[in-house]
């Protein structure tokens, strides 16, 4: 087992972690788009009985955005030179840089940063999975019962 093969194995493992994080963000993005669609339809309907659905949609969107922030970092609106904070995804990049930067055998630092990256990403992925198993499942069940009007009411046409 050569040094190069060991490094390739660690990098492959980090790629797998990035793949899981990517799937999580894709699911969150799809869910946010669906919630936005529901929100738009409810605004167009302007019905009072949709108030609860609107409230639940706002809560679900807030939860999705919080998960995005946990995985990718919250967007900083301040101006000037800012130092970004460490996100789970940036930890993976950091681990990949450590592994690629040294020529010798895998060392403790390589192992430590790789393990930390995996723990951080998988911790957020676990939160995403829990969100879909609980909060999203409840939202979905509720929203499947909500009916959006597809027909408009038309006033009779009159000559003016």
């Amino acid at each position: 087992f050569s040094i190069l093969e060991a490094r390739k194995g660690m990098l492959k493992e980090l790629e797998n972690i990035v793949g899981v994080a990517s799937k999580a963000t894709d699911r969150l993005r799809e869910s946010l788009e669906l919630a936005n669609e529901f929100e738009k339809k409810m605004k167009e309907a302007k019905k009072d009985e949709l108030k609860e659905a609107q409230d639940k949609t706002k809560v679900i969107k807030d939860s999705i955005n919080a998960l995005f922030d946990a995985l990718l970092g919250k967007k900083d609106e301040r101006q000037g030179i800012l130092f970004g904070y460490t996100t789970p995804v940036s930890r993976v990049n950091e681990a990949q840089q450590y592994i690629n930067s040294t020529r010798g055998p895998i060392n403790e630092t390589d192992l430590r940063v790789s393990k930390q990256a995996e723990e951080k990403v998988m911790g957020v992925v676990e939160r995403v999975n829990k969100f879909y198993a609980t909060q999203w499942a409840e939202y979905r069940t509720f929203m499947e019962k909500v009916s959006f009007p597809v027909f408009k009411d038309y006033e009779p046409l009159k000559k003016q």
Side-chain angles (χ1 to χ4, degrees), residues 35-99:
N36 285 333
E37 276 183 49
F38 282 147
E39 189 175 57
K40 183 180 174 189
K41 286 180 180 180
M42 288 183 285
K43 282 181 182 176
E44 289 171 357
K46 296 179 183 175
K47 293 212 170 213
D48 291 336
E49 61 263 18
L50 295 176
K51 176 75 172 121
E52 186 179 1
Q54 288 172 325
D55 293 343
K56 287 183 182 290
T57 299
K58 183 184 179 336
V59 169
I60 212 78
K61 286 176 62 175
D62 290 346
S63 296
I64 291 170
N65 286 322
L67 289 168
F68 268 128
D69 290 346
L71 193 57
L72 304 174
K74 192 171 186 170
K75 186 175 180 183
D76 198 337
E77 300 292 338
R78 297 177 294 173
Q79 293 183 345
I81 298 173
L82 303 171
F83 295 99
Y85 58 93
T86 305
T87 67
V89 172
S90 69
R91 285 188 181 264
V92 173
N93 293 334
E94 182 181 309
Q96 289 170 326
Q97 287 174 345
Y98 269 101
I99 293 165

Side-chain angles (χ1 to χ4, degrees), residues 7-21 88-89 91-100 110-119 121-122:
R7 289 197 180 287
K8 281 183 181 179
M10 284 187 80
L11 290 170
K12 185 71 173 163
E13 190 62 34
L14 289 169
E15 283 178 28
N16 290 338
I17 293 167
V18 169
V20 171
V89 172
R91 285 188 181 264
V92 173
N93 293 334
E94 182 181 309
Q96 289 170 326
Q97 287 174 345
Y98 269 101
I99 293 165
N100 280 325
D110 296 335
L111 294 171
R112 186 178 66 250
V113 296
S114 180
K115 180 101 174 117
Q116 287 173 348
E118 181 178 0
E119 288 171 354
V121 170
M122 296 312 293

